[in-house]
Amino acid sequence: MDLATIWFIAIAVLWTGYFILEGFDFGVGVLLPFIGRKNVDRRVMINAIGPVWDGNEVWVITAGGAMFAAFPAWYATLFSGFYLPLLLILVALIARGVAFEYRAKVDTDRWRAGWDQAIFWGSAVPAFLWGVAFANIVRGVPVDGDQILAAGLLHLLNPYALLGGLTTLSLFALHGAVFLSLKTGDPVRSAARRAALRISAVAVPAGAAFLIWTQLSHGKTWTWPVAVIAAAALVLGVLLALRGREGLSFTATAVSIGAASVLLFGVLFPNVLPSTIDPAYSLTVQNASSAPYTLTVMSWVAVVFLPVVLGYQAWTYWVFRKRVTREHIEPVPAYGGGGGTGSGTAPAAPTG
């Protein structure tokens, strides 16, 4: 196995970690207006992901940086052709991050409601568009002999890609609901369990359809077990949620997301961006990679720093492992009258 293949696997691992960890963050954001009917409950939901959401985003930054360094041709062609959806994702992530920090800056219901909408859309848009983007990568795009991708937004919104977007959106929402049932106390916990069951009515059939479509159209013999694991883990996660086995249910949904990601990268290899114009124009692990020297330097950097990053993130999850309840939320001071209707500035809680 050469370094180019190793780095393809490493990038697949980074994206898989991102989808699993940032997936429940997106899910919590999507569920914010539906589960958090009161401000105190919305604060419980935000505080549940508050210590980890920005650390989870490091995975996508690292994945993008690794793609740029290890496969510059893949990065350049992909980001130029997918410019609009990736720009929308970036804007949504920026708005979401600002919303987490600014939500508690002013003590008015109108102020908080506006930032809550930013959290919702900043979570829902990436959750949907990541599925659209990766479905198109697997399906193939019109890459010509000069490695130029000529695809407009409407070309990317094909039925397979839209199903991929629905799958990631519903699966992340389910993952987030299970996370909330694991990480919060009542009444958020009970509302999250009910939400998980309702979301499963969309996530299970959409996920199953997408896995079957992917496998039948692009799959290989060895990816069949991966598709089965993804589907089985999804169903098992729902059944465990029904029985109140929250820890196991969260593990199952994480396995389902991870297996689905492995399936996508598995059916893609050895291509990194298939061409629908001519297979000879496809970008592959070999023709899109950097020079061996660059890959060697990257490998040594990863060996040194990756354990540090993983250790720090694991420590963060361990420190903030306890449930968040209403009792942990301090009352919001009312400046100018009336418990959340004043116009002054409230002291800012770190997580909203």
Side-chain angles (χ1 to χ4, degrees), residues 22 24-30 32 42-43 45-54 56-57 92-105 111-112 114-120 122-123 348-352:
E22 189 76 339
F24 69 75
D25 286 351
F26 287 149
V28 172
V30 169
L32 188 67
R42 291 193 292 273
R43 292 185 65 195
M45 296 172 67
I46 293 171
N47 284 14
I49 61 173
V52 298
W53 71 266
D54 47 356
N56 293 341
E57 287 192 348
L93 291 177
I94 291 172
R96 176 172 170 265
V98 172
F100 283 137
E101 302 297 333
Y102 275 64
R103 184 183 186 275
K105 297 297 184 182
W111 174 269
R112 285 190 289 269
W115 291 116
D116 288 345
Q117 285 295 312
I119 293 173
F120 170 77
S123 301
T351 56

Side-chain angles (χ1 to χ4, degrees), residues 8-21 59-64 67 74 78-79 86 130 134 257 261 265:
F8 176 84
I9 295 172
I11 290 169
V13 170
L14 290 170
W15 279 108
T16 301
Y18 173 69
F19 290 145
I20 293 174
L21 297 177
W59 287 77
V60 72
I61 297 171
T62 307
M67 289 173 65
W74 183 18
L78 179 66
F79 276 71
L86 292 177
W130 281 130
F134 274 86
I257 294 172
S261 180
F265 281 96

Side-chain angles (χ1 to χ4, degrees), residues 81 84-85 88 129 132 136 151-158:
L84 182 56
L88 291 175
L129 289 181
V132 171
N136 275 293
L153 180 61
L154 294 180
H155 179 88
L156 300 178
L157 299 178
N158 53 80

